[in-house]
Amino acid sequence: MRPNLVKTRLAAGDPVINAWLSIGASYSAEGVGHTGAHSVTVDLQHGMFGFSEALHMLQAISATPAIPMVRVPYLEPAQIMQLLDAGAYGIICPMISTPEQAAELVAACRYPPHGNRSFGPSRGLLYGGSDYVANANETVMAIPMIETAEAVDRIDDILSVDGIDMLYLGPNDMAFAMDGHVRFPRPASEQAMGKVLSRATRKGVPVGIFCADATEARLRMDQGYGLVTPGNDFAHLTRSVSGAVRALLDAPNDQDVPPKVVHGY
């Protein structure tokens, strides 16, 4: 079976840079997959698309070196199984607050006898290889999102669930839960995230986190997070265009300065 680069890098202690897609376009998904990011996550929770677009995006990512992952909208085993059949190598599930919910997520990601995933690998075979079914349980990642006060309070119970491959922190929902807002500073949620990171590290479970940009992602890597997401595609797109507009509007009108030549398009 095709190896899961995210799992192998985390196991080796190497950082994972994860791209994030909220725009439903296979063309941009393919481009992002070629940026050097180790994984690309298709966001079905807050992204502006559904399963059909997600399937095309997973197909596009599969043609790149990046590992395809999906954030599902909620804990729904049937949808999780369908996305795994579509070729996702990791499932990030939001709002996991109890060990029972974490166990349900893991079970949906594992074939019997370790779970209750239904047989029907479809694109899993095309992407993973002919031995997909025999090795999927060890390759596909089950990733609970920790973003509620209850989840923080019960983090040791959640970490005791067998089969969790990584935790993923949602800082904004955590800030809503702990600080009552998403403005900075957010001392309560920062303390809570530090607790989760510490407990997971002690248990040998890597932790990923969504970041506003590359600057924050570097800070989080230095703090010990194994996977960082330096913003999503929409944020990068709008920041880039805004920066270009500001640069052009603020630039002096100097006719003696030759224009820059942009190669390609």
Side-chain angles (χ1 to χ4, degrees), residues 234-245:
F234 185 78
H236 286 294
L237 175 65
T238 53
R239 274 200 296 261
S240 177
V241 175
S242 296
V245 170

Side-chain angles (χ1 to χ4, degrees), residues 110-192:
R110 304 286 187 257
Y111 287 121
H114 303 294
N116 52 33
R117 181 181 173 187
S118 178
F119 180 84
S122 307
R123 277 205 73 249
L125 288 171
L126 295 176
Y127 177 70
S130 60
D131 58 345
Y132 175 88
V133 175
N135 295 288
N137 283 356
E138 290 74 38
T139 305
V140 168
M141 299 181 71
I143 308 167
M145 282 196 77
I146 305 299
E147 47 191 347
T148 67
E150 182 180 8
V152 175
D153 289 340
R154 303 194 66 184
I155 192 61
D156 291 328
D157 296 330
I158 291 171
L159 286 166
S160 70
V161 174
D162 188 41
I164 291 175
D165 295 293
M166 182 176 74
L167 299 180
Y168 192 83
L169 295 187
N172 291 322
D173 280 317
M174 189 84 81
F176 269 136
M178 300 289 185
D179 299 292
H181 56 78
V182 295
R183 301 183 306 275
F184 290 94
R186 308 190 292 200
S189 57
E190 282 294 330
Q191 183 178 7

Side-chain angles (χ1 to χ4, degrees), residues 9-206:
R9 287 187 65 86
L10 290 173
D14 296 327
V16 174
I17 312 302
N18 173 58
W20 199 270
L21 301 179
S22 64
I23 301 171
S26 59
Y27 182 35
S28 58
E30 183 179 21
V32 170
H34 282 294
T35 59
H38 303 113
S39 57
V40 178
T41 297
V42 175
D43 184 10
L44 276 166
Q45 183 186 20
H46 294 302
M48 298 293 105
F49 52 86
F51 175 80
S52 295
E53 294 93 340
L55 171 61
H56 297 153
M57 295 162 75
L58 290 170
Q59 290 172 314
I61 297 165
S62 297
T64 77
I67 295 299
M69 304 203 299
V70 173
R71 177 167 72 170
V72 295
Y74 50 88
L75 180 57
E76 172 49 60
Q79 184 180 48
I80 290 170
M81 295 179 200
Q82 185 182 32
L83 288 161
L84 291 174
D85 291 344
Y89 256 38
I91 296 292
I92 300 173
C93 187
M95 296 294 175
I96 298 297
S97 298
T98 69
E100 291 80 14
Q101 291 171 339
E104 186 175 2
L105 168 63
V106 171
C109 294
R110 304 286 187 257
Y111 287 121
H114 303 294
N116 52 33
R117 181 181 173 187
S118 178
F119 180 84
S122 307
R123 277 205 73 249
L125 288 171
L126 295 176
Y127 177 70
S130 60
D131 58 345
Y132 175 88
V133 175
N135 295 288
N137 283 356
E138 290 74 38
T139 305
V140 168
M141 299 181 71
I143 308 167
M145 282 196 77
I146 305 299
E147 47 191 347
T148 67
E150 182 180 8
V152 175
D153 289 340
R154 303 194 66 184
I155 192 61
D156 291 328
D157 296 330
I158 291 171
L159 286 166
S160 70
V161 174
D162 188 41
I164 291 175
D165 295 293
M166 182 176 74
L167 299 180
Y168 192 83
L169 295 187
N172 291 322
D173 280 317
M174 189 84 81
F176 269 136
M178 300 289 185
D179 299 292
H181 56 78
V182 295
R183 301 183 306 275
F184 290 94
R186 308 190 292 200
S189 57
E190 282 294 330
Q191 183 178 7
M193 290 191 298
K195 173 184 175 180
V196 172
L197 178 62
S198 174
R199 299 296 178 84
T201 301
R202 187 184 309 167
K203 189 77 173 180
V205 176

Side-chain angles (χ1 to χ4, degrees), residues 15 211 213-223 228:
C211 307
D213 51 30
T215 300
E216 183 190 354
R218 169 56 65 183
L219 171 65
R220 298 301 187 187
M221 288 169 61
D222 292 342
Q223 290 174 343
V228 292

